[in-house]
Short mmCIF file of all heavy atoms in Angstrom, two decimals:
data_model
loop_
_atom_site.label_atom_id
_atom_site.label_comp_id
_atom_site.label_asym_id
_atom_site.label_seq_id
_atom_site.Cartn_x
_atom_site.Cartn_y
_atom_site.Cartn_z
N PHE A 196 -28.24 -4.05 8.15
CA PHE A 196 -29.62 -4.40 7.85
C PHE A 196 -29.86 -5.88 8.09
O PHE A 196 -29.05 -6.73 7.73
CB PHE A 196 -29.95 -4.07 6.39
CG PHE A 196 -31.34 -4.49 5.98
CD1 PHE A 196 -32.44 -3.72 6.31
CD2 PHE A 196 -31.53 -5.67 5.29
CE1 PHE A 196 -33.71 -4.11 5.94
CE2 PHE A 196 -32.80 -6.06 4.92
CZ PHE A 196 -33.90 -5.29 5.25
N ARG A 197 -30.95 -6.18 8.71
CA ARG A 197 -31.45 -7.54 8.82
C ARG A 197 -32.96 -7.43 8.73
O ARG A 197 -33.58 -6.73 9.51
CB ARG A 197 -31.04 -8.18 10.13
CG ARG A 197 -31.52 -9.62 10.23
CD ARG A 197 -31.06 -10.26 11.54
NE ARG A 197 -31.58 -11.60 11.64
CZ ARG A 197 -30.90 -12.69 11.32
NH1 ARG A 197 -29.66 -12.57 10.90
NH2 ARG A 197 -31.44 -13.88 11.44
N VAL A 202 -40.46 -10.85 -2.81
CA VAL A 202 -40.13 -11.21 -4.19
C VAL A 202 -41.42 -11.04 -4.99
O VAL A 202 -42.44 -11.66 -4.69
CB VAL A 202 -39.63 -12.67 -4.29
CG1 VAL A 202 -39.31 -13.02 -5.73
CG2 VAL A 202 -38.41 -12.87 -3.39
N GLN A 203 -41.37 -10.17 -5.99
CA GLN A 203 -42.54 -9.88 -6.82
C GLN A 203 -42.75 -11.02 -7.82
O GLN A 203 -41.91 -11.90 -7.97
CB GLN A 203 -42.37 -8.54 -7.54
CG GLN A 203 -42.08 -7.38 -6.60
CD GLN A 203 -43.18 -7.19 -5.56
OE1 GLN A 203 -44.35 -7.19 -5.89
NE2 GLN A 203 -42.79 -7.04 -4.30
N GLY A 206 -39.98 -12.02 -10.09
CA GLY A 206 -38.71 -12.28 -9.43
C GLY A 206 -37.99 -11.03 -8.98
O GLY A 206 -36.85 -11.10 -8.52
N LEU A 214 -29.83 0.67 2.14
CA LEU A 214 -28.79 -0.21 1.57
C LEU A 214 -28.38 0.28 0.19
O LEU A 214 -27.20 0.29 -0.15
CB LEU A 214 -29.29 -1.64 1.48
CG LEU A 214 -29.40 -2.43 2.77
CD1 LEU A 214 -29.93 -3.83 2.51
CD2 LEU A 214 -28.06 -2.50 3.48
N ARG A 217 -26.12 3.29 0.71
CA ARG A 217 -24.84 2.93 1.32
C ARG A 217 -23.90 2.30 0.31
O ARG A 217 -22.69 2.54 0.31
CB ARG A 217 -25.07 1.96 2.48
CG ARG A 217 -23.77 1.56 3.19
CD ARG A 217 -23.99 0.61 4.35
NE ARG A 217 -24.99 1.13 5.25
CZ ARG A 217 -25.82 0.36 5.97
NH1 ARG A 217 -25.77 -0.95 5.88
NH2 ARG A 217 -26.70 0.90 6.78
N ASP A 222 -26.92 4.44 -8.22
CA ASP A 222 -26.17 5.02 -9.33
C ASP A 222 -26.52 4.32 -10.64
O ASP A 222 -26.82 3.12 -10.66
CB ASP A 222 -24.66 4.89 -9.08
CG ASP A 222 -24.19 5.68 -7.88
OD1 ASP A 222 -24.99 6.48 -7.33
OD2 ASP A 222 -23.03 5.49 -7.47
N GLY A 224 -26.31 2.21 -13.78
CA GLY A 224 -25.50 1.04 -14.13
C GLY A 224 -25.09 0.17 -12.96
O GLY A 224 -24.33 -0.78 -13.13
N GLN A 226 -24.82 -2.68 -10.31
CA GLN A 226 -25.12 -4.10 -10.43
C GLN A 226 -24.91 -4.80 -9.10
O GLN A 226 -24.15 -4.34 -8.26
CB GLN A 226 -24.22 -4.75 -11.48
CG GLN A 226 -24.44 -4.26 -12.88
CD GLN A 226 -23.55 -4.96 -13.87
OE1 GLN A 226 -22.56 -5.59 -13.52
NE2 GLN A 226 -23.90 -4.86 -15.14
N ILE A 230 -24.89 -14.97 -5.58
CA ILE A 230 -24.20 -16.25 -5.47
C ILE A 230 -25.10 -17.19 -4.66
O ILE A 230 -25.52 -16.85 -3.56
CB ILE A 230 -22.84 -16.09 -4.76
CG1 ILE A 230 -21.95 -15.13 -5.55
CG2 ILE A 230 -22.17 -17.45 -4.57
CD1 ILE A 230 -20.73 -14.68 -4.79
N PHE A 237 -28.47 -17.25 -0.40
CA PHE A 237 -28.13 -16.38 -1.52
C PHE A 237 -27.30 -15.22 -0.96
O PHE A 237 -27.69 -14.59 0.01
CB PHE A 237 -29.37 -15.76 -2.18
CG PHE A 237 -30.28 -16.75 -2.83
CD1 PHE A 237 -31.65 -16.65 -2.67
CD2 PHE A 237 -29.78 -17.77 -3.62
CE1 PHE A 237 -32.51 -17.54 -3.28
CE2 PHE A 237 -30.63 -18.67 -4.24
CZ PHE A 237 -31.99 -18.56 -4.06
N VAL A 242 -21.42 -4.69 -7.00
CA VAL A 242 -20.23 -4.71 -7.84
C VAL A 242 -20.22 -3.46 -8.72
O VAL A 242 -21.27 -2.87 -8.99
CB VAL A 242 -20.14 -5.97 -8.73
CG1 VAL A 242 -19.96 -7.21 -7.90
CG2 VAL A 242 -21.35 -6.10 -9.62
N SER A 248 -12.66 -1.83 -22.02
CA SER A 248 -11.39 -1.19 -22.36
C SER A 248 -10.49 -1.01 -21.14
O SER A 248 -9.30 -0.70 -21.28
CB SER A 248 -11.64 0.17 -23.02
OG SER A 248 -12.26 1.05 -22.09
N THR A 254 -6.67 -7.23 -13.95
CA THR A 254 -6.17 -8.60 -13.97
C THR A 254 -5.26 -8.81 -12.77
O THR A 254 -4.64 -7.86 -12.25
CB THR A 254 -5.37 -8.87 -15.26
OG1 THR A 254 -4.24 -7.98 -15.30
CG2 THR A 254 -6.23 -8.69 -16.51
N GLU A 256 -2.34 -10.08 -12.53
CA GLU A 256 -0.95 -9.71 -12.81
C GLU A 256 -0.76 -8.19 -12.69
O GLU A 256 0.23 -7.73 -12.10
CB GLU A 256 -0.54 -10.16 -14.23
CG GLU A 256 -0.60 -11.65 -14.44
CD GLU A 256 -1.99 -12.18 -14.78
OE1 GLU A 256 -2.92 -11.37 -15.01
OE2 GLU A 256 -2.17 -13.40 -14.81
N ALA A 264 4.42 -1.36 -7.12
CA ALA A 264 4.68 0.07 -7.32
C ALA A 264 4.35 0.86 -6.06
O ALA A 264 5.10 1.76 -5.66
CB ALA A 264 3.88 0.59 -8.51
N VAL A 269 6.17 3.92 -1.22
CA VAL A 269 6.23 4.04 0.25
C VAL A 269 7.68 3.94 0.74
O VAL A 269 8.08 4.65 1.66
CB VAL A 269 5.34 2.97 0.91
CG1 VAL A 269 5.59 2.89 2.41
CG2 VAL A 269 3.87 3.27 0.65
N VAL A 273 11.76 5.63 -5.71
CA VAL A 273 11.25 6.30 -6.90
C VAL A 273 12.09 7.54 -7.17
O VAL A 273 12.76 8.06 -6.28
CB VAL A 273 9.76 6.71 -6.73
CG1 VAL A 273 8.88 5.49 -6.64
CG2 VAL A 273 9.57 7.61 -5.55
N LEU A 283 14.82 11.66 -19.13
CA LEU A 283 15.77 11.05 -20.07
C LEU A 283 17.20 11.11 -19.52
O LEU A 283 17.96 10.15 -19.67
CB LEU A 283 15.67 11.72 -21.43
CG LEU A 283 14.35 11.50 -22.18
CD1 LEU A 283 14.30 12.33 -23.44
CD2 LEU A 283 14.13 10.04 -22.47
N LEU A 289 21.34 5.86 -15.58
CA LEU A 289 21.16 4.45 -15.22
C LEU A 289 21.82 3.54 -16.24
O LEU A 289 22.46 2.54 -15.88
CB LEU A 289 19.67 4.11 -15.10
CG LEU A 289 18.92 4.71 -13.92
CD1 LEU A 289 17.44 4.32 -13.98
CD2 LEU A 289 19.53 4.27 -12.60
N GLU A 293 24.80 0.86 -15.58
CA GLU A 293 24.66 -0.55 -15.96
C GLU A 293 25.79 -0.98 -16.89
O GLU A 293 26.35 -2.05 -16.73
CB GLU A 293 23.31 -0.77 -16.65
CG GLU A 293 23.09 -2.22 -17.06
CD GLU A 293 21.78 -2.43 -17.79
OE1 GLU A 293 20.83 -1.67 -17.56
OE2 GLU A 293 21.74 -3.37 -18.60
N ALA A 294 26.12 -0.13 -17.84
CA ALA A 294 27.17 -0.46 -18.80
C ALA A 294 28.53 -0.58 -18.13
O ALA A 294 29.36 -1.38 -18.55
CB ALA A 294 27.22 0.60 -19.91
N SER A 295 28.75 0.17 -17.05
CA SER A 295 30.06 0.12 -16.39
C SER A 295 30.13 -0.93 -15.30
O SER A 295 31.19 -1.19 -14.75
CB SER A 295 30.39 1.50 -15.81
OG SER A 295 29.47 1.83 -14.77
N PRO A 297 30.14 -4.74 -13.61
CA PRO A 297 30.70 -6.02 -14.07
C PRO A 297 29.66 -6.92 -14.74
O PRO A 297 29.99 -7.69 -15.62
CB PRO A 297 31.21 -6.68 -12.79
CG PRO A 297 31.33 -5.58 -11.79
CD PRO A 297 30.34 -4.54 -12.19
N GLY A 299 26.97 -5.69 -16.33
CA GLY A 299 26.26 -4.90 -17.34
C GLY A 299 26.55 -5.39 -18.74
O GLY A 299 27.49 -6.15 -18.98
N ARG A 307 17.36 9.57 -26.76
CA ARG A 307 17.13 10.88 -27.38
C ARG A 307 16.94 10.72 -28.88
O ARG A 307 17.64 9.97 -29.53
CB ARG A 307 18.29 11.80 -27.10
CG ARG A 307 18.60 11.92 -25.63
CD ARG A 307 18.70 13.33 -25.21
NE ARG A 307 19.08 13.39 -23.82
CZ ARG A 307 18.41 14.09 -22.94
NH1 ARG A 307 17.37 14.77 -23.30
NH2 ARG A 307 18.80 14.11 -21.69
#
Side-chain angles (χ1 to χ4, degrees):
F196 176 80
R197 182 179 178 97
V202 179
Q203 304 302 312
L214 287 179
R217 182 179 308 149
D222 295 350
Q226 295 181 343
I230 300 167
F237 296 137
V242 294
S248 65
T254 61
E256 299 83 8
V269 169
V273 294
L283 293 174
L289 290 178
E293 181 182 332
S295 65
R307 306 231 184 232

